[in-house]
Amino acid sequence: MSTLLWSRAKENPWPGLALASLNLVVALSLVALSLLLGVTIALLAGLHAFAGERFCIAPKELQRGSPAL
């Protein structure tokens, strides 16, 4: 059976090459999409952490409603 498949592949290699090229394109696009999503999530997490630190500029002792005032 394998010799039959090998002989057919030697006659016309274009379908196998087309399928391999399609697999490569799909794999590269999935890798690019995962990298893009990773960078986006990291940027959103960084912005969220930055906004969380700078929510109130005044120290806790000087904020409204604190027992110090």
Side-chain angles (χ1 to χ4, degrees):
M1 181 71 180
S2 62
T3 56
L4 179 64
L5 291 174
W6 181 249
S7 66
R8 301 241 337 137
K10 283 197 290 187
E11 289 176 14
N12 190 5
W14 292 111
L17 291 174
L19 186 61
S21 298
L22 181 64
N23 285 340
L24 182 65
V25 168
V26 169
L28 288 177
S29 63
L30 287 175
V31 167
L33 182 65
S34 66
L35 287 174
L36 182 66
L37 284 174
V39 168
T40 304
I41 290 170
L43 285 174
L44 287 175
L47 286 174
H48 185 265
F50 181 73
E53 290 176 3
R54 299 205 160 231
F55 188 74
C56 290
I57 296 175
K60 287 185 178 182
E61 294 83 21
L62 299 179
Q63 289 179 3
R64 226 181 276 182
S66 66
L69 292 176

